[in-house]
Amino acid sequence: MSADEGASGLPVRPDGKEYWSTPPPRYPSLPNRQPLTAFTFYMRTLSTLTLLAAATAALHAAGFTDIHPAANPNASTYTQGVSSDGLVSVGRSNIGGAKAYKIIGTTYSELIGLSPIGDSEALAASSTGSLIVGTSVDLNASEQAVFWTGTTATQLDSILTPLFLLSSARGVSANGGTIVGSGLGSTSGVYEAFYFKNATLTSLAGAFSGAPYSNWAAVYSFANGVSADGDLVVGTVADSDLSAPQNYALGFVYKISTSTLTTVDAAANVPAFANAFLSLTQLTAISGDGAVAVGMAFLNASLSDAQAFKHTLAGAGSTTALGTLGNSSSWSIARAINHDGSVIVGQSQNSSGQSEAFVHQSGAMTGLGFLGTGDESDATGVSADGTVIVGYSRITSGGAARHAFVYANQTMLDADEWLRSLNGPGSLLAMTTSLNQLPLEGAHHRPLMSYDDMGKQSQVWATGDFGTSTRQSDRRLASGEVGVSQTYGDFVLGIAAGHASLNQDLLFGGSASISGNYLLFEADTRLADKESIVSLVLVRGDYDADATRGYVTGSGNDTSTGSTGLKTSSARLRYDGPAQPFVGGLSATPFASFTVTRTTADAYAETGGSFPASFGAQAHTAQEGRLGLTAKYVASPSTTLLFTAEWIHRFDDAGSGLTATNATLGTLTAAGIAPTADQARFGFEVDHRLSADTLLNFSVHAAATGPSSDVSTALSLRRAF
């Protein structure tokens, strides 16, 4: 019994009670899983993740994306089905009690049940998710089949003259015209399959009469799926409620328009099933076009011997075993099928004995792997075109928490991974912040007043700054500027205009190019001790960015491109203390600075690739402090050497992350990545007089891993006049 099971094997609610208030007899439990009730028919414990899906050649072990509400990390959410268009996932969560929910993209919405204190569960959705069906506990603590057209449940059965004592809706046609399920007959006392059409609830109990049912001790039936047009209903008919061993169990297909019943006996059609004594058959779903049904053959009520199959209905019908992810003694269960029957999903025991979600396509079964370090997963639904699969996975080995996934365009696409190429150090905001700070770390890494004035009051200069990084990001930066300064006693004012550019290689074959112009203003003052300097530098940049965002799909890497404008403003306040003289012309000067940089990016939309995104306007404020020491050595009357060591600390955090919208995936957000908080930087510099009024300056800096460039250089020529 797992941590979230009660004594009878049912899932436990947050209040400690078993999930259903009045549990009817249950279907048999699956290996290592918790059955819910007869109404939920092997529904797995799912939770809220969305996995964006992949080509079968690259499915296994790919990263999944967890979209569980961040405010409830210890709760669980269970996805049970998906709309035909693949955009709406439905299920149950235990956030604030067992409540039905729907997820559109990554937006989670609770579906209100029949009773404010009763449990509810959503099990299936129509083509667009406008109609959702499932089960809700009413004020009498009885389970009732319901549907949601908004967020409030409507009961299928009559309240005054109910056809069933208990009921559950398990499937809905794509057109929303037919709902199917099962109910405990108010007069028969056994479970009866039903369909709900034209506002009328109809039991299928009468369809199961005569042979072979006349030889059975009792006749129970359960409807589990329905074709897209609402005419074909599939399910199981057996001589018990399936919570105990059966003597008989057959799959059935019922055609509403002609009141025609067809049964499916898998063992009669597959010799391997007969040889393994798998004499019992259940049908779990039917393709939207009504051509193929899927299910399992079994004998053991625990389904530890179950074998998944598909059954083609045309003509006399034919049954094909789907195989397993493990060896000949492993089990498998088919749970859902797409519109044309080409994609089947379910769960199988793999070669390691774990329960793993699978997709069966083009004659091959492929495992989908697990979330994190999980050891259990299940696929429970698939869209009409087969490109979206929903299911769940444990997120840790043996853990109680299970997270749901959505699997789209048959391309395994983790939302974090989908956005990672433009997140963290590779974000446009981070790149532009670094670009605007390049002159602050290069030619302006020290105050204008610290340069030799060569006996004049005015200077002009031309500088070039260069930076490169390969450890945290593969980035190359360059800037050039011209400027002029004027000295007024103990004050220096300077202004410069420059052009800067950045090229950065991004993950998964992506790249970014940013370029633009900036203005720089500096004001320095010497304090009363005539040695200490306080300086203020302001930099305003206006840049354009072209980004090619790369991401991984099942068939390899793909890219989408976009362009946007960015603006950034930096302000640095710095204090340089008095020089402390040492022997031999060597002195040391301490300094401290604080820089704030505000960067904004305009909204833009990408083009090209399989998953282009639209990004809203973005903004981030970086805050950086530095403490350092500059050692100065006068090597000759014309040459001075400087050595710098500084410690850099970033005070800003990860920010709000990166949010993007895609027509297929909806709106997804990747958590922000905080910059490296602490970084050491060391520099060597030469001031050399070429003539009485001309100064050449060269500097080189090396830094540990962090926002500052791994290596940067600056070259400037200054002329006094």
Side-chain angles (χ1 to χ4, degrees):
M1 184 173 66
S2 71
D4 54 356
E5 285 181 336
S8 64
L10 291 172
V12 173
R13 303 185 308 191
D15 60 7
K17 297 178 180 179
E18 292 183 350
Y19 177 66
W20 297 111
S21 301
T22 311
R26 295 176 283 117
Y27 285 102
S29 60
L30 299 180
N32 301 318
R33 291 171 302 286
Q34 304 88 346
L36 208 52
T37 71
F39 299 136
T40 55
F41 196 33
Y42 305 119
M43 279 299 99
R44 224 26 84 244
T45 321
L46 311 180
S47 46
T48 54
L49 134 114
T50 293
L51 165 65
L52 311 169
T56 54
L59 298 180
H60 190 76
F64 294 0
T65 303
D66 189 338
I67 58 166
H68 187 91
N72 305 93
N74 298 321
S76 293
T77 47
Y78 307 88
T79 295
Q80 311 284 33
V82 65
S83 59
S84 302
D85 63 11
L87 299 181
V88 182
S89 301
V90 300
R92 172 178 63 85
S93 89
N94 65 4
I95 299 173
K99 305 296 183 183
Y101 72 82
K102 65 179 178 181
I103 295 178
I104 302 176
T106 58
T107 302
Y108 171 95
S109 299
E110 180 182 318
L111 301 176
I112 301 170
L114 297 175
S115 166
I117 60 173
D119 301 338
S120 58
E121 179 175 35
L123 298 173
S126 63
S127 60
T128 62
S130 59
L131 180 65
I132 298 170
V133 303
T135 301
S136 177
V137 174
D138 63 17
L139 292 173
N140 295 320
S142 298
E143 297 168 16
Q144 301 294 342
V146 297
F147 65 84
W148 291 270
T149 53
T151 58
T152 302
T154 299
Q155 185 171 325
L156 269 65
D157 205 354
S158 169
I159 297 176
L160 298 178
T161 57
L163 188 63
F164 303 113
L165 299 176
L166 308 169
S167 61
S168 176
R170 290 213 22 88
V172 59
S173 60
N175 63 15
T178 305
I179 299 171
V180 301
S182 308
L184 181 64
S186 56
T187 57
S188 67
V190 299
Y191 285 98
E192 304 170 7
F194 70 74
Y195 67 87
F196 181 84
K197 189 172 185 177
N198 298 325
T200 301
L201 190 64
T202 303
S203 171
L204 292 180
F208 306 104
S209 59
Y213 316 109
S214 56
N215 297 323
W216 297 6
V219 180
Y220 291 73
S221 58
F222 307 89
N224 301 311
V226 60
S227 59
D229 62 6
D231 195 36
L232 294 177
V233 182
V234 298
T236 302
V237 57
D239 64 341
S240 80
D241 59 18
L242 303 181
S243 64
Q246 304 86 47
N247 294 311
Y248 308 102
L250 295 171
F252 75 80
V253 181
Y254 183 83
K255 188 175 180 65
I256 295 175
S257 60
T258 60
S259 301
T260 303
L261 179 72
T262 303
T263 58
V264 177
D265 183 349
N269 298 319
V270 181
F273 291 173
N275 294 337
F277 305 104
L278 306 181
S279 59
L280 307 179
T281 300
Q282 295 185 20
L283 292 183
T284 56
I286 187 171
S287 60
D289 62 9
V292 183
V294 296
M296 73 201 82
F298 67 101
L299 182 61
N300 191 321
S302 69
L303 298 186
S304 59
D305 56 4
Q307 295 294 306
F309 67 82
K310 67 176 181 179
H311 179 81
T312 302
L313 276 63
S318 61
T319 306
T320 304
L322 301 183
T324 71
L325 294 176
N327 53 36
S328 58
S329 62
S330 299
W331 54 264
S332 60
I333 299 168
R335 303 197 184 281
I337 184 170
N338 74 324
H339 182 81
D340 64 6
S342 61
V343 180
I344 301 167
V345 301
Q347 186 181 44
S348 175
Q349 185 180 38
N350 63 23
S351 57
S352 299
Q354 300 164 322
S355 303
E356 184 176 353
F358 74 75
V359 59
H360 188 280
Q361 189 174 11
S362 302
M365 180 181 289
T366 304
L368 301 183
F370 311 96
L371 293 174
T373 60
D375 57 1
E376 177 192 17
S377 61
D378 195 0
T380 59
V382 60
S383 64
D385 62 4
T387 63
V388 177
I389 299 169
V390 300
Y392 81 93
S393 173
R394 276 180 171 156
I395 58 174
T396 58
S397 179
R402 292 162 173 84
H403 290 184
F405 63 75
V406 169
Y407 186 82
N409 273 356
Q410 292 203 0
T411 302
M412 187 72 70
L413 187 62
D414 182 308
D416 285 328
E417 188 170 89
W418 180 55
L419 296 174
R420 183 153 52 110
S421 183
L422 279 180
N423 200 11
S427 73
L428 294 178
L429 295 179
M431 285 186 274
T432 308
T433 296
S434 295
L435 184 58
N436 208 53
Q437 288 184 330
L438 179 64
L440 289 176
E441 293 192 326
H444 295 273
H445 75 278
R446 54 192 262 210
L448 288 173
M449 190 172 278
S450 68
Y451 290 97
D452 189 350
D453 62 12
M454 294 169 282
K456 304 290 181 67
Q457 301 300 305
S458 304
Q459 281 192 13
V460 295
W461 69 82
T463 68
D465 289 291
F466 310 91
T468 182
S469 294
T470 58
R471 291 192 295 256
Q472 194 173 58
S473 59
D474 193 354
R475 178 184 299 172
R476 299 159 299 283
L477 308 91
S479 69
E481 69 176 48
V482 293
V484 60
S485 66
Q486 180 69 36
T487 301
Y488 303 94
D490 288 331
F491 294 92
V492 172
L493 298 177
I495 188 170
H499 179 81
S501 64
L502 175 150
N503 291 284
Q504 179 162 321
D505 295 332
L506 302 176
L507 297 173
F508 315 123
S511 63
S513 176
I514 303 174
S515 63
N517 302 316
Y518 67 88
L519 289 174
L520 182 146
F521 171 81
E522 180 172 346
D524 300 349
T525 183
R526 200 177 300 278
L527 300 184
D529 61 10
K530 299 302 181 180
E531 292 190 26
S532 300
I533 301 172
V534 173
S535 60
L536 174 67
V537 182
L538 305 176
V539 185
R540 170 68 176 184
D542 194 342
Y543 302 99
D544 293 314
D546 296 315
T548 298
R549 182 175 59 88
Y551 44 90
V552 177
T553 69
S555 57
N557 290 357
D558 202 355
T559 58
S560 298
T561 60
S563 300
T564 188
L566 299 107
K567 293 179 173 57
T568 183
S569 300
S570 298
R572 184 189 73 191
L573 183 65
R574 172 170 166 144
Y575 169 77
D576 289 76
Q580 304 298 317
F582 292 94
V583 296
L586 183 67
S587 64
T589 301
F591 64 86
S593 69
F594 184 76
T595 306
V596 176
T597 301
R598 176 69 173 177
T599 304
T600 62
D602 297 334
Y604 70 99
E606 294 177 328
T607 59
S610 53
F611 293 99
S614 295
F615 296 89
Q618 305 169 50
H620 185 72
T621 301
Q623 302 174 62
E624 173 190 278
R626 299 188 182 216
L627 289 175
L629 187 71
T630 299
K632 180 178 179 180
Y633 175 70
V634 179
S636 70
S638 60
T639 303
T640 301
L641 306 180
L642 299 98
F643 305 88
T644 303
E646 59 187 324
W647 189 259
I648 309 168
H649 180 76
R650 285 287 290 268
F651 294 93
D652 52 303
D653 57 16
S656 58
L658 189 61
T659 298
T661 301
N662 173 269
T664 299
L665 308 177
T667 299
L668 298 174
T669 299
I673 300 174
T676 301
D678 296 290
Q679 185 180 18
R681 187 169 182 256
F682 302 92
F684 170 71
E685 190 168 359
V686 179
D687 284 353
H688 179 69
R689 275 201 191 190
L690 299 177
S691 66
D693 54 8
T694 305
L695 179 70
L696 179 69
N697 170 265
F698 171 77
S699 65
V700 59
H701 288 83
T705 301
S708 291
S709 296
D710 294 349
V711 177
S712 61
T713 62
L715 182 67
S716 66
L717 186 66
R718 300 175 183 273
R719 177 89 173 181
F721 63 93

